[in-house]
Amino acid sequence: MTQAQWTKIRDRLKKTVGQNNFTTWIAPLSVGPLEDGVTTLFVPTNFFGNYVSQNFADLILHEMQSENDSVTRLKFELATPDKSAIPLPAPARPKTATAQPSNSSLNTAPLDARFSFDNFVVGKPNELAHAAARRVAEGGPVTFNPLFLYGGVGLGKTHLMHAIAQELHLRKPELNVLYLSAEQFMYRFVQALRDRKMMDFKEIFRSVDVLMVDDVQFIAGKDSTQEEFFHTFNALVDQNKQIIISADRAPGEIKDLEDRVKSRLQCGLVVDLHPTDYELRLGILQSKVEAQRANYPGLEIEAGVLEFLAHRITSNVRVLEGALTRLFAFASLVGREINMDLTQDCLADVLRASERKISIEEIQRKVSEHYNIRLSDMVGPKRLRSYARPRQVAMYLCKKMTSRSLPEIGRRFGGRDHTTVMHGVKRIEELKQSDGQIAEDLELLRRSLEA
């Protein structure tokens, strides 16, 4: 395995695993000789070697075999001064626009300048998280510590974390703000243990004014890392220093996280970024279209396309943004207006993957459970208000969340005519604007069905 081959492999691995994983787990590796089909990889610690072996070994082996088909397996060894390994080039820093803290020794993770408060689209599902993030970013005293942001993939957690860090650098440049992922925290902890520099590690993390840790669920199950995180957390809170945490679920739902850590994380403000609703998705698309105008100034987009995408692509914001980027690029290359036909041709795979799999039967069951009535009464002939209103709610959700026709929906509700379904849908549309309880019921049911 030559140095040139190893460099090519590293470049491909960086694209595959992402910058953070590459910097944390791939860059510290050095490659040794190839003997009898076995390639040796030197690692800084046994813990490091075990982690890479469990999570990245198959990928590394595959890339090595593409360069040299005589490689059959990998062997991890602890690096020592007498080991003759191929030297590694220094890892290149990302060339994205970044904002750096005033104290460079903190070595904060790169911040993406695109993730600012100015281009964060606010809607009902994320307005509380945005308001809390804004308050913390002002740099003044707050009544909640830590701020814990959680939600599913692509809902804006990392966007808000970057926005907070960059706003703090602008407003309070004298503050020491440290932003990093939970994996980076764990890796720095392991490095400190290996190099016997735990006092330096403790001093760095306890000297910050604001500590921001992204994806904290990744320290679950890592007992020593959790313990050090717990002590760091306590030391900073005792000094009235701000802590901001993000995760993919609430503290109490993170498996293998110690109870004392869960308790600490829950003692501040815990904010859920809810799944996006139609209005928020449409707002995000409109915002992105304005941003794309700079790259495609002459490109036209037909009315109704954005509404169609906001209705059909509900998984997460990243998929939505990626679909729009692809659509603009495709239309520009073929020199056509973005209309419904082009959209469906260009995004056929995305639209197929985003098709709703919710059935009429599932909606009926959820609605009957929500209103505590029997399913047979909801689809039956009774016209009592206690049955008629849930029936109309279920019809409304069937119309909005499935591709079934009105006659088919009517047949599933005791053989009712399609005009009955139309009346029910229209009635719920009206009540949604005037009756807060109906609007809340619809939102709860929608989230439950999409979960």
Side-chain angles (χ1 to χ4, degrees):
M1 185 63 60
T2 65
Q3 179 176 341
Q5 288 175 321
W6 180 231
T7 300
K8 289 181 183 177
I9 291 167
R10 281 163 45 89
D11 290 341
R12 291 199 297 269
L13 288 171
K14 183 188 295 185
K15 294 177 183 177
T16 304
V17 304
Q19 182 65 45
N20 282 345
N21 279 329
F22 177 83
T23 303
T24 305
W25 300 110
I26 305 299
L29 298 174
S30 54
V31 68
L34 171 63
E35 297 177 355
D36 299 326
V38 180
T39 297
T40 301
L41 285 173
F42 296 116
V43 296
T45 67
N46 288 326
F47 169 84
F48 191 101
N50 289 335
Y51 187 90
V52 174
S53 175
Q54 291 173 14
N55 294 276
F56 301 106
D58 291 341
L59 181 59
I60 296 172
L61 180 60
H62 171 75
E63 295 293 351
M64 282 190 170
Q65 288 173 336
S66 67
E67 288 291 328
N68 187 339
D69 56 12
S70 62
V71 179
T72 57
R73 67 184 181 90
L74 302 177
K75 180 174 67 172
F76 294 90
E77 282 191 12
L78 198 61
T80 58
D82 60 325
K83 299 288 186 183
S84 56
I86 296 173
L88 298 176
R93 292 187 66 81
K95 294 183 180 179
T96 56
T98 59
Q100 297 298 335
S102 57
N103 187 348
S104 61
S105 66
L106 293 177
N107 194 22
T108 190
L111 301 174
D112 193 327
R114 296 172 301 171
F115 292 159
S116 66
F117 284 118
D118 290 340
N119 54 27
F120 186 84
V121 181
V122 183
K124 188 174 180 181
N126 61 24
E127 62 183 352
L128 176 57
H130 175 263
R134 273 283 196 187
R135 176 66 62 84
V136 171
E138 292 171 358
V142 295
T143 56
F144 45 85
N145 195 19
L147 170 61
F148 189 100
L149 304 171
Y150 77 94
V153 175
L155 297 183
K157 302 185 302 296
T158 298
H159 190 140
L160 285 177
M161 294 284 279
H162 281 238
I164 292 170
Q166 294 184 97
E167 190 74 10
L168 283 169
H169 293 325
L170 291 173
R171 287 174 172 263
K172 303 277 186 176
E174 72 279 5
L175 293 180
N176 291 333
V177 180
L178 178 56
Y179 167 79
L180 75 171
S181 68
E183 270 196 325
Q184 289 170 324
F185 180 89
M186 180 172 65
Y187 176 59
R188 292 190 189 188
F189 174 65
V190 171
Q191 271 191 319
L193 287 175
R194 179 195 67 187
D195 299 337
R196 298 180 181 179
K197 294 182 177 179
M198 278 306 299
M199 292 307 297
D200 292 345
F201 175 89
K202 291 176 183 291
E203 184 178 347
I204 288 174
F205 278 87
R206 285 157 175 73
S207 67
V208 301
D209 297 304
V210 181
L211 175 63
M212 308 179 66
V213 182
D214 208 356
D215 291 323
V216 78
Q217 71 271 8
F218 288 122
I219 70 170
K222 315 296 191 302
D223 293 342
S224 298
T225 305
Q226 285 190 65
E227 182 174 358
E228 184 56 39
F229 179 80
F230 176 77
H231 293 312
T232 299
F233 187 105
N234 285 343
L236 290 174
V237 170
D238 289 344
Q239 299 174 57
N240 293 320
K241 302 298 179 64
Q242 184 66 48
I243 300 173
I244 306 154
I245 308 289
S246 81
D248 63 354
R249 67 206 77 173
E253 298 172 0
I254 301 176
K255 187 180 178 183
D256 297 328
L257 194 65
E258 292 181 8
D259 289 339
R260 59 178 179 172
V261 178
K262 289 181 183 179
S263 176
R264 283 295 187 185
L265 295 177
Q266 290 171 319
C267 69
L269 178 62
V270 178
V271 183
D272 179 10
L273 282 90
H274 300 298
T276 56
D277 57 17
Y278 170 80
E279 290 78 10
L280 179 55
R281 290 193 296 271
L282 183 58
I284 290 169
L285 285 172
Q286 291 168 341
S287 172
K288 296 302 175 184
V289 165
E290 291 304 313
Q292 292 282 7
R293 293 289 186 200
N295 299 323
Y296 307 98
L299 210 55
E300 295 295 327
I301 184 164
E302 188 180 76
V305 170
L306 296 185
E307 289 79 0
F308 171 75
L309 293 177
H311 179 69
R312 288 293 301 275
I313 303 176
T314 60
S315 50
N316 67 64
V317 175
R318 289 185 191 138
V319 175
L320 196 65
E321 292 180 357
L324 190 65
T325 300
R326 189 206 295 193
L327 191 58
F328 268 87
F330 182 77
S332 174
L333 290 170
V334 299
R336 290 169 55 191
E337 178 193 27
I338 299 176
N339 55 27
M340 200 64 72
D341 290 338
L342 182 138
T343 299
Q344 292 179 331
D345 289 343
C346 175
L347 303 177
D349 57 330
V350 178
L351 295 173
R352 268 197 309 273
S354 300
E355 283 180 358
R356 294 184 172 90
K357 305 297 190 298
I358 300 168
S359 66
I360 291 176
E361 291 77 10
E362 184 181 2
I363 292 173
Q364 290 172 335
R365 179 176 55 80
K366 285 281 187 184
V367 173
S368 61
E369 289 175 357
H370 179 80
Y371 287 104
N372 197 25
I373 62 175
R374 290 184 300 181
L375 182 59
S376 58
D377 288 331
M378 187 176 70
V379 301
K382 296 180 180 179
R383 296 188 178 183
L384 294 173
R385 184 184 179 88
S386 56
Y387 302 141
R389 188 68 75 228
R391 185 183 300 135
Q392 290 175 333
V393 167
M395 288 176 175
Y396 173 87
L397 291 171
C398 288
K399 176 67 172 63
K400 297 296 182 181
M401 303 187 73
T402 75
S403 57
R404 304 301 182 187
S405 65
L406 293 177
E408 185 173 356
I409 294 172
R411 285 195 296 271
R412 302 292 185 88
F413 282 83
R416 285 175 165 81
D417 189 78
H418 74 280
T419 56
T420 304
V421 180
M422 288 176 62
H423 171 74
V425 171
K426 183 179 179 182
R427 182 62 181 145
I428 296 302
E429 285 278 12
E430 294 169 351
L431 287 173
K432 188 172 71 166
Q433 306 301 323
S434 59
D435 189 331
Q437 186 60 53
I438 288 290
E440 184 178 339
D441 288 348
L442 289 171
E443 179 65 15
L444 287 171
L445 285 164
R446 183 192 62 79
R447 288 172 55 191
S448 176
L449 288 162
E450 290 181 345

